[in-house]
Amino acid sequence: MPATVPFEQIDRIVGNQHHDPFEVLGPHAIEENGKKVWVVRAYLPNADAVSVVVPEARAEYPMKSEHHPHFFECTIETPELANYQLRVKEGEHDRFIYDPYAFRSPKLTEFDIHLFSEGNHHRIYEKLGAHLTEVDGITGVYFAVWAPNARNVSVLGDFNYWDGRKHQMRKSQNGIWELFIPGLSVGTSYKYEVKNQDGHPYEKSDPYGFQQEVRPKTASIVTDLNTYTWNDSAWIEKRRHTDQLTQPVSVYECHIGSWLHAATDEPAVLPNGEIQPAVQVSELNLGARFLTYRELADRLIPYVKDLGFTHIEMLPIAEHPFDGSWGYQVTGYFAPTSRYGTPEDFMYFVDQCHANGIGVLVDWVPGHFPKDGHGLAFFDGTHLYEHADPRKGEHKEWGTLVFNYGRNEVRNFLVSNALFWFDKYHIDGIRVDAVASMLYLDYCREPGEWLTNQYGGRENIEAADFLRQANHVIFSYFPGALSIAEESTSWPMVSWPTYVGGLGFNLKWNMGWMHDMLDYFHMDPWFRQFHQNNITFSMWYNHSENFMLALSHDEVVHGKAHIIGKMPGDEWQKFANVRCLFTFMFAHPGKKTIFMGMEFGQWHEWNVWGDLQWQLLQFEPHQKLKLFFKDLNNLYRSERALYSQDFAEDGFEWIDCTDNRHSVVAFVRREKDGDEFVVIVCNFTPQPHSHYRVGVPEPGFYTELFNSDAREYGGSNMGNLGGKWTEEWWFHNSAYSIDLCLPPLGVLILKLDRAKTTAKSQEF
């Protein structure tokens, strides 16, 4: 760089239009009269006077402003110039700062940029974003953001009075802008000022930011995710060697912002005694505040553990601006929402879940994102993360934008984000929302509102390839994890491995089973005899995928009524129907998910602004239903036959599914690598049946392990006095059968007691 700078270069700096301010600002070595000297330049709006201070030489060099009142420069005769400071005088105030433009070493290597450009930098979140770091012995924050079509980008914050002229970034390869700002620390709020080619500025949150301000504020916050001390190494190691498909998986789906609230005047106290700022729910609930992640660890985890669930699934906890979106319109993909506390608080929650034997699943939303101005939409003045053509890039029904899965850097953003939650927060699985909306180009679009793929079809090939890549990466790094698809169509091989052409999930929500069950249980029991196929049809396709049976939040909103409100009959029959439904669900092949409130019979539809109806637990029917779920979970977890062969044909066998006249079905569940089995008999009408004969695989005494009609659960207590002996009576293609009393709207689970059977045989 010559000693003098062309005026147009200075004008570009002053006008905040330069793609590489390092070409002008900072120190530049030149030769003058055969000697090496340094020219130092600085652009400091609002400064009245500036000088260069070299602490090692104990020297100070005044800078001149010849070209512009706030553009300063000076020449220093010294062989080396390092770690100098700028003394800045603004009115009556003096301050000393390190010059950001003196630190020229980029954090991203050429290899980083190469991997990012081809979509394979799995931990790009360690490079892009804001990172506390040390350069040449000076601590500060390194900022990097991808905005290839921007004219220029600046870092904004309280530290520069949100003035985009003060910290202009340098554009490097592949459109990544970067700058190291010395002196900044954890807790600094910041945004990016991104200008399009016409110079129009957009203030954007950091796409890779680890924390955001509490809404309605939208700035990102510098955060160090490596300070928390984890205590779950044994859990993580055990998970690595566990095949989740052969384990019990019973999931409590929870929106933590509406599970329970605290009163606004109830302080949130941290373990060290500090008071944590409370976040008010909304103007709709002025007297309530959200529980913090740490308070949820104290209240939610013991509750779920007592009920016997194996996992907590959290509706999206990534940062989102609107409470009423339930978290499904994400603006901060790498930031757990600040509504409930800090990233470290969320780490504590996950750690405590693992300490109590509970896995953590997080809903992940790679299918769409909102149009909020501070988010990803139109990020650099162009359609960067989304498709430019609205026929591919917009979900009009949801008012959201669709990711451009064909762009390597966008795909890299999403794949690394999925990995991020496992890596930094130790989660155990993701449930991927709205997969069907990703897989079909005509999803919720009328003719003429969508474009075909290159082969003329409706399949989104780029989205399918992205999902395969994401799942492949997750299981490569984190064996034993769960990746669950909410996919509502017949797209083939969703839960098959990628190496055989599948999408690579290991579980898929069984939406067909859900619809069949809710239709069946909604109808008057007399009509069920004509709809036996609702009960039996799921087994025709059960082995095509690894299914999870889910009764989720989507089934208890928008006028659909909560589960108990869907049931016919009087109050007793409603509770009996609920017990019948869930016992059948837990006996049916497939992993399980239920939404909060179902476990005690909430009547009202789920309301994101309020609490669950906890007051109902003062009434006996609701107390007994909660006990029912506790016992059902404990039975499910204790009987390997109910979970170890969910996806193998040997794990299920119909005894009889043809008795539609009585609306009764019976079947067997068998364990993996053993000879244990259980017999399940379901009566889906209020009419009890005495002397109902059921064929069984082996002779002996069958203990009644579980009866959904038990008095303890609010039932009529009809049953079989603890169990029944078989008779040599050929029935249901079996040489042995048992004579049962089937309770009304009841499900029986029976098991051969081999010890008792052997003891009796020895008597003879």
Side-chain angles (χ1 to χ4, degrees):
M1 172 65 70
T4 59
V5 181
F7 287 132
E8 72 253 14
Q9 291 276 56
I10 297 174
D11 288 342
R12 289 175 65 194
I13 292 292
V14 172
N16 194 3
Q17 299 177 6
H18 210 296
H19 74 284
D20 186 3
F22 284 85
E23 289 184 0
V24 179
L25 302 177
H28 298 270
I30 63 171
E31 291 242 351
E32 192 173 89
N33 299 324
K35 293 183 179 180
K36 182 180 181 182
V37 298
W38 294 87
V39 176
V40 179
R41 304 186 189 91
Y43 174 55
L44 295 163
N46 306 324
D48 298 316
V50 182
S51 58
V52 175
V53 177
V54 183
E56 293 182 0
R58 297 184 180 182
E60 183 170 343
Y61 304 90
M63 304 181 78
K64 299 178 181 180
S65 54
E66 297 179 352
H67 308 295
H68 185 277
H70 302 300
F71 187 90
F72 302 88
E73 60 184 329
C74 69
T75 302
I76 302 173
E77 293 186 10
T78 180
E80 299 297 332
L81 183 64
N83 291 352
Y84 67 84
Q85 292 180 291
L86 299 176
R87 181 179 181 179
V88 184
K89 184 175 182 179
E90 297 172 341
E92 299 297 321
H93 302 284
D94 270 4
R95 60 191 179 100
F96 291 84
I97 63 170
Y98 286 100
D99 185 0
Y101 301 100
F103 300 88
R104 296 174 175 270
S105 301
K107 186 179 177 71
L108 276 89
T109 66
E110 290 187 3
F111 189 53
D112 287 326
I113 294 172
H114 169 75
L115 289 176
F116 179 60
S117 300
E118 69 175 19
N120 286 318
H121 199 309
H122 300 154
R123 287 191 166 96
I124 190 63
Y125 51 83
E126 294 180 346
K127 299 299 178 74
L128 295 183
H131 299 274
L132 188 69
T133 189
E134 185 177 292
V135 179
D136 298 334
I138 305 301
T139 301
V141 176
Y142 171 82
F143 296 91
V145 63
W146 179 58
N149 304 304
R151 189 184 72 183
N152 56 291
V153 181
S154 302
V155 184
L156 304 175
D158 289 333
F159 50 88
N160 62 17
Y161 304 102
W162 301 91
D163 187 340
R165 298 173 297 169
K166 294 185 177 180
H167 289 99
Q168 302 174 42
M169 304 179 79
R170 168 175 57 189
K171 187 177 184 179
S172 62
Q173 300 177 55
N174 198 37
I176 294 174
W177 300 77
E178 57 184 355
L179 182 67
F180 173 74
I181 303 181
L184 298 188
S185 59
V186 167
T188 300
S189 297
Y190 70 98
K191 286 185 180 181
Y192 296 114
E193 181 185 81
V194 183
K195 288 186 177 179
N196 67 9
Q197 290 298 323
D198 296 324
H200 181 79
Y202 303 87
E203 288 191 7
K204 293 290 188 178
S205 303
D206 190 346
Y208 290 87
F210 294 152
Q211 186 178 358
Q212 283 190 13
E213 293 178 311
V214 177
R215 52 93 177 105
K217 295 182 178 181
T218 58
S220 301
I221 300 174
V222 176
T223 306
D224 186 354
L225 298 183
N226 299 315
T227 58
Y228 182 79
T229 302
W230 288 91
N231 300 289
D232 63 348
S233 57
W235 171 277
I236 298 296
E237 182 61 21
K238 181 181 178 182
R239 189 187 70 192
R240 274 178 21 88
H241 301 286
T242 300
D243 179 5
Q244 299 294 339
L245 299 184
T246 64
Q247 300 302 307
V249 176
S250 174
V251 180
Y252 186 77
E253 186 192 25
C254 182
H255 178 266
I256 59 177
S258 57
W259 183 74
L260 179 67
H261 297 107
T264 303
D265 57 1
E266 181 183 341
V269 183
L270 298 178
N272 61 6
E274 294 181 6
I275 303 298
Q276 182 167 336
V279 180
Q280 184 174 299
V281 175
S282 74
E283 64 277 4
L284 300 177
N285 198 347
L286 295 176
R289 68 163 176 83
F290 291 120
L291 296 180
T292 67
Y293 292 118
R294 291 180 182 269
E295 288 174 324
L296 286 160
D298 293 338
R299 302 189 191 189
L300 176 60
I301 292 173
Y303 180 81
V304 171
K305 182 178 181 180
D306 180 65
L307 283 169
F309 290 95
T310 63
H311 293 75
I312 295 173
E313 178 188 332
M314 307 168 79
L315 269 63
I317 56 96
E319 194 59 83
H320 51 283
F322 178 48
D323 298 357
S325 77
W326 310 341
Y328 288 104
Q329 296 201 6
V330 177
T331 51
Y333 274 82
F334 289 84
T337 178
S338 53
R339 288 168 175 80
Y340 318 120
T342 66
E344 188 168 289
D345 293 337
F346 181 56
M347 292 176 184
Y348 174 82
F349 175 84
V350 176
D351 209 8
Q352 288 300 303
C353 282
H354 292 169
N356 285 275
I358 297 172
V360 178
L361 310 178
V362 171
D363 277 17
W364 187 49
V365 193
H368 62 121
F369 58 93
K371 299 177 181 178
D372 295 65
H374 66 281
L376 298 176
F378 214 62
F379 188 80
D380 64 356
T382 68
H383 298 283
L384 185 64
Y385 285 89
E386 69 272 21
H387 284 280
D389 192 325
R391 291 174 295 178
K392 292 186 71 175
E394 186 173 0
H395 279 307
K396 291 186 177 180
E397 183 181 34
W398 298 341
T400 55
L401 300 174
V402 181
F403 284 103
N404 183 350
Y405 305 107
R407 188 161 197 166
N408 291 346
E409 297 88 349
V410 173
R411 194 169 63 251
N412 201 143
F413 171 82
L414 291 170
V415 171
S416 68
N417 181 243
L419 192 71
F420 167 82
W421 291 99
F422 290 93
D423 179 21
K424 296 298 184 182
Y425 290 101
H426 291 205
I427 68 166
D428 301 283
I430 55 173
R431 174 264 190 187
V432 183
D433 179 63
V435 172
S437 74
M438 302 167 64
L439 292 175
Y440 295 97
L441 295 166
D442 62 345
Y443 185 86
C444 287
R445 293 183 174 91
E446 298 296 328
E449 294 182 350
W450 60 282
L451 298 176
T452 66
N453 60 35
Q454 61 265 43
Y455 304 108
R458 59 195 284 256
E459 297 81 11
N460 191 333
I461 297 171
E462 295 167 344
D465 288 342
F466 153 67
L467 291 170
R468 291 188 185 97
Q469 181 186 1
N471 284 317
H472 174 76
V473 169
I474 288 170
F475 292 121
S476 295
Y477 285 97
F478 299 100
L482 287 170
S483 181
I484 307 163
E486 185 213 10
E487 204 287 309
S488 55
T489 75
S490 57
W491 185 284
M493 302 192 297
V494 170
S495 58
W496 290 37
T498 57
Y499 58 79
V500 296
L503 293 185
F505 294 94
N506 52 6
L507 288 171
K508 171 184 172 175
W509 272 16
N510 193 334
M511 309 296 279
W513 177 89
M514 177 271 295
H515 285 296
D516 284 346
M517 288 303 98
L518 294 184
D519 288 347
Y520 185 81
F521 275 89
H522 180 70
M523 68 181 68
D524 185 288
W526 187 85
F527 292 101
R528 292 176 183 174
Q529 61 184 306
F530 307 113
H531 298 274
Q532 187 86 341
N533 61 302
N534 283 50
I535 294 295
T536 61
F537 182 64
S538 59
M539 290 310 302
W540 282 98
Y541 60 84
N542 185 70
H543 302 299
S544 64
E545 300 278 3
N546 300 330
F547 283 117
M548 170 172 275
L549 311 182
L551 293 171
S552 73
H553 64 278
D554 281 328
E555 315 319 320
V556 294
V557 288
H558 303 321
K560 298 177 184 176
H562 222 288
I563 287 295
I564 196 167
K566 299 177 189 290
M567 302 300 165
D570 58 22
E571 183 174 296
W572 187 92
Q573 289 192 22
K574 288 180 183 294
F575 276 94
N577 269 299
V578 168
R579 296 191 303 271
C580 185
L581 166 61
F582 282 106
T583 310
F584 177 66
M585 175 184 184
F586 274 69
H588 190 288
K591 308 309 179 185
K592 329 295 178 187
T593 293
I594 76 159
F595 186 59
M596 63 182 193
M598 294 179 184
E599 76 278 9
F600 62 80
Q602 169 148 328
W603 289 99
H604 293 169
E605 284 191 336
W606 171 47
N607 176 10
V608 72
W609 308 110
D611 289 353
L612 297 183
Q613 289 182 280
W614 296 109
Q615 69 275 14
L616 293 176
L617 283 171
Q618 65 184 302
F619 303 113
E620 189 175 271
H622 298 276
Q623 295 171 4
K624 290 185 173 182
L625 184 60
K626 184 167 173 275
L627 175 64
F628 158 84
F629 267 98
K630 178 178 179 178
D631 289 353
L632 182 60
N633 265 319
N634 290 337
L635 173 71
Y636 169 66
R637 296 175 68 167
S638 65
E639 289 296 330
R640 294 186 70 249
L642 291 175
Y643 62 78
S644 61
Q645 288 204 100
D646 278 322
F647 313 115
E649 293 189 10
D650 292 341
F652 176 92
E653 179 186 354
W654 284 116
I655 294 174
D656 180 41
C657 61
T658 62
D659 188 6
N660 63 295
R661 186 168 67 90
H662 296 102
S663 297
V664 172
V665 297
F667 55 92
V668 174
R669 295 294 310 279
R670 298 184 185 276
E671 73 169 339
K672 181 180 176 66
D673 301 326
D675 58 358
E676 297 295 324
F677 63 90
V678 293
V679 172
I680 296 95
V681 186
C682 311
N683 175 17
F684 295 113
T685 72
Q687 175 64 48
H689 301 292
S690 59
H691 303 296
Y692 192 95
R693 188 162 294 277
V694 176
V696 292
E698 298 181 28
F701 183 79
Y702 282 77
T703 301
E704 190 176 88
L705 294 180
F706 193 83
N707 182 344
S708 69
D709 189 53
R711 179 185 293 113
E712 292 82 359
Y713 310 140
S716 64
N717 209 40
M718 296 184 68
N720 296 278
L721 301 176
K724 284 293 185 77
W725 286 97
T726 57
E727 300 175 84
E728 290 190 48
W729 187 325
W730 184 274
F731 212 75
H732 292 148
N733 292 319
S734 176
Y736 304 95
S737 59
I738 49 179
D739 181 1
L740 295 174
C741 171
L742 302 188
L745 294 169
V747 178
L748 303 176
I749 301 179
L750 304 108
K751 183 178 182 180
L752 178 65
D753 186 332
R754 297 189 182 279
K756 194 169 186 177
T757 301
T758 301
K760 183 171 183 179
S761 66
Q762 291 175 348
E763 293 178 4
F764 301 95

